[in-house]
Each structure stands twice: as C-alpha cells, then as structure tokens.
C-alpha cells in the first residue's frame, strides 16, 4: 500500500509531465538545473516531473498528500497561476471538485471539496484544460502478462469529467507514435503498481506536442470498464474475477470465439460512440455547464462502421426527443452570440458546433474556442452537408443510400425533403437500401465467432448466418 501511495503521489504531482517507460531495476535520483527536469526512477517506472512546479507543502513522509487549508491552497494557486484544478480525495464522479478561475471560486470549491472528502484532502493542480483526454483499459494477471483491452478518446477536451464527455473507441485522432507511447505507459503503470485484474488509466495529451500527464489510475473495474467491455466484446469483469481466483490470461478462454484466450488483445473494425445521458430535461433549473464534477445519470452507446453513423445512432438513443444535429435551434443567435455560446461547455455543445458550421465559421475558429479536434469538427460538417443536400437537392437513390450509410433516420430525411416517412421507406426498400448486421467478435473477423452479438449498418455485407432451428 505504501508503494501505491508514493506512485499515486508522483502521478498526481502538480504540473507533472509524465514520461513513463521501461528502465532498469534501479532506485536512483537525478537532478537537473532549476529550469530543467528532475528525473525519478523507481523500479521500472520512469517519471519526469517539471521542476518548475514542485508539490508545495503537499507531500508527507509516506508519499501521500496532506489536507490543505484555504490559505495554503491560495498560495499554491498564485504560484501555479489561475485557473487551477481542485480534486478532492475519496469522492466518486469528481464530487466536490472543479476548475477555479479566481480566488473566489477557489475558496468556494475548496471548502466544499474538503467537506466532501472522507479524509479531508484536496489536490490543487496545474490546469491543463484543452488537452486531449485519452483512456486505456488494461488487464494484468499474477504472472505479469499484460494487455490493453481498449483505448478511448474523449471528443471533449480535458476539463470535462469523462463521464460527461462524448467518448469514441478506438481513438480516432492519435498518430501511431502517440498511441504506442500511451499504451506503453499504461502497461508500465499497471506492472509497477503490481495490479492484478482490470485497471483504467486516464491521460491528458498536449495536442501540440508529445507531452502528456497521467490524470488518474483506477486499479479496479470502473464505469469506463463497462463501456470498454461492451465496445469490444471482451468480458472485463468476468476475466478480472477469474484472475482473482488465480487464473492467468493465457488460461482463460475467449467466450465469443471459443478458440482464442483472454491474452489476445481485442481488435475493433468498427467505431463506438458513447454519449452521456444528462438529466437537465428533468432538473430544468440545474446549472447546465459541465466541469470536472460528473452530472450525467446514465449513458448510451452505439456501434457503426463509421463515426458519423455511430454519432447519429447515439443521439436518437438518448430518448430526449432529439434525432439529429438539428434538434436544438440556435438560428436566432447572432454570430457574436454564437461564438460566445461555443465557449460555454454544456450539454448542447455538439449542436452549437453544428450551427457554427452551418454559418460558415471556419474550423480553426471553432477549434480555438472549443478545443474539439478538427477531425471531429470535420465529421460534424459531413452531417451538416448531408442536411443541406437533402434540403436543397433532389432525393436520388445515391443520395438516399449515402444518407442511410451515415444513419440519417427516415423521419429526418422525410422532414428535410418534404416527403412522408412512408415514401422514404418505400423508396429504400424498392432500391435494396436496408440494414445489414455485422458481428462484434473481439478479433475483427480473424476467427469465427461462436457467441457473437451484432450491430446494424447500411451499405455493407450482412454477416448474420441464418439458422434453421426453432426461433
């Protein structure tokens, strides 16, 4: 437990620039000059901590953090510079935390965080809001065998709790170097902490460099584990339970293929999108802005063979009377008002980005305000372009086929083209534009699936095998 505390303290130190890599079995310490990096080596874990931001008066002899009062927190915030992130210890869903932009907000959030923390501890950290947020779900057994089950990317940048973020799996905007760097880091972390079972590692990645920080390490099956398990078909909870009983990954059979083992890393040949189910339709007076404190009361997950289709499926799965990126009306806003609204992170941010695209606001402007990656902005633009094509052009078979490929529902197509849903339905079936079903098999069709489950797509081969038995 003491070793865990020390590494947790290092991993959450103020202004950390983590560079986790395999190194020798040493326990040496090297120090650079005042403007350089201090390197700490602990077994196989190598971390570089920015010497500019030491953990002022926050560390104890055993590597943990002390409870800190308002005066000390204010001094640290002044040294780091506002905004700062406040993270209470031992609270779920980021309860009691937040981003403080000035001293008044610092006092308010800190006092509430100290009250909610079971041990009276709050971390005051350098704010890295705007960086990419990436998660890795990792499994390890008692013999040290490690795999990454899934990696996930938040469309929302750091600053929004991952439970309130729009999440896509696998990551869509990471280059191979970034992907492998974070994957290696996650495997090193779970090995150094000697965790057996499931582990979730969350990272913040600077979009302009290869600098990254470890946000947190959850050495347990978490809410993100459920998403990763559903997204990949890999039974994380079941495998973790068997590992607890003493099995190793190469002894646990994959229940879907019945041929491979749990040591075989899942492969995805589709895209998964998770949207948070935020309860503002019921709590109409609640503050709709999203920060590091989780507000979602549920989430929906969709699968498709393209990002646009997965997003459109997820939107209508929310059951909040929304079915497209036109469901909220921002046409009454001036362009200046819309730009101000883009800076507000709330449950309608996706629809505001779509409205900005309709207005012809360029990608760079939207990115600079929202920090949503340009790749995702371009995908929103593809959906908006389809709206315009359906609204202004003739509904040809090819246009209808493309609209269904990116999962425009019949009622939205009918509304945009001025036709009835029955007309759209009949036109689809007359031209063979019907849903087919693909397999979630954990191995991208490399092995036959014995107990798969399916997702629907348009414009692709049907992978369902008909059976002759009684239904």
């Amino acid at each position: 437990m003491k070793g865990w505390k020390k590494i947790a303290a290092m991993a959450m130190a103020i202004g950390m620039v983590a560079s986790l890599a395999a190194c020798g079995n040493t326990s040496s310490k090297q120090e650079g000059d005042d403007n350089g990096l201090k390197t700490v080596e602990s077994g196989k874990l190598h971390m570089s901590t920015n010497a500019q931001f030491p953990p002022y008066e926050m560390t104890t002899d055993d590597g943990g953090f002390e409870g800190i009062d308002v005066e000390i927190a204010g001094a640290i915030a002044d040294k780091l510079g506002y905004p700062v992130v406040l993270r209470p210890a031992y609270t779920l869903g980021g309860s009691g935390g937040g981003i403080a932009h000035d001293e008044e907000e610092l006092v308010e959030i800190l006092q509430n965080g100290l009250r909610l923390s079971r041990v009276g501890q709050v971390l005051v950290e350098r704010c890295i809001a705007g960086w990419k947020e990436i998660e890795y779900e990792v499994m390890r057994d008692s013999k040290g065998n490690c795999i990454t089950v899934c990696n996930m990317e938040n469309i929302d940048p750091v600053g929004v709790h991952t439970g309130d973020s729009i999440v896509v799996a696998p990551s869509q905007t990471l280059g191979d170097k970034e992907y492998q760097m974070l994957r290696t880091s996650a495997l090193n972390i779970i090995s150094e902490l000697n965790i057996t079972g499931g582990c979730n590692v969350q990272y913040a990645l600077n979009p302009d460099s290869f600098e990254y920080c470890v946000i947190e390490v959850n050495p347990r099956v978490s809410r993100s584990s459920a998403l990763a398990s559903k997204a990949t078909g890999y039974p994380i909870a079941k495998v973790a339970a068997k590992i607890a009983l003493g099995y190793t990954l190469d002894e646990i059979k994959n229940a879907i293929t019945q041929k491979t083992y749990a040591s075989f890393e899942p492969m995805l040949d589709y895209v998964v999108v998770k949207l948070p189910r935020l309860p503002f339709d019921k709590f109409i007076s609640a503050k709709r802005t999203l920060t590091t404190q989780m507000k979602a009361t549920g989430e929906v997950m969709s699968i498709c063979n393209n990002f646009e289709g997965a997003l459109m499926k997820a939107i209508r799965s929310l059951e909040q009377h929304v079915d497209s990126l036109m469901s909220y009306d921002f046409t009454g806003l001036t362009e200046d008002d819309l730009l101000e609204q883009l800076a507000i992170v709330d449950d309608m941010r996706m629809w505001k980005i779509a409205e900005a695209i309709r207005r012809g606001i360029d990608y760079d402007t939207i990115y600079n305000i929202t920090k949503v990656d340009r790749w995702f902005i371009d995908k929103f633009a593809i959906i908006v372009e389809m709206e315009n094509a359906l609204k202004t052009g003739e509904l040809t078979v090819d246009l209808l086929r493309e609209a269904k490929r990116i999962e425009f529902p019949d009622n939205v197509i009918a509304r945009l083209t001025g036709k009835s849903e029955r007309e759209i339905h009949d036109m689809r079936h007359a031209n063979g534009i019907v849903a087919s079903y693909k397999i979630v098999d954990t191995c991208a069709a490399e092995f036959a699936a014995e107990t798969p489950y399916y997702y629907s797509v348009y414009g692709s081969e049907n992978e369902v095998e008909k059976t002759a038995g009684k239904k």
Side-chain angles (χ1 to χ4, degrees), residues 293-308:
Q293 183 171 340
M294 184 176 170
K295 295 182 179 179
T297 53
E299 57 192 35
V300 301
M301 187 196 87
S302 65
I303 307 177
C304 194
N305 56 1
N306 60 84
F307 172 81
E308 302 94 320

Side-chain angles (χ1 to χ4, degrees), residues 1-13 16 27 40 42 45 47 49 55 59-65 192-193:
M1 186 65 181
K2 187 173 180 181
W4 154 249
K5 279 188 173 182
K6 286 186 176 180
I7 292 175
M10 293 167 65
M12 294 184 290
M16 185 185 73
S27 57
V40 179
S42 174
L45 190 63
M47 292 188 173
T49 348
T59 58
T60 58
D61 291 339
D62 66 354
F65 283 102
E192 180 65 23
L193 299 182

Side-chain angles (χ1 to χ4, degrees), residues 386 389-390 393-404 417:
M386 179 54 69
L390 292 168
E394 179 187 356
L395 183 61
T396 63
V397 173
D398 287 342
L399 182 60
L400 179 59
R401 183 173 283 111
E402 179 62 15
K404 295 306 294 184
T417 58

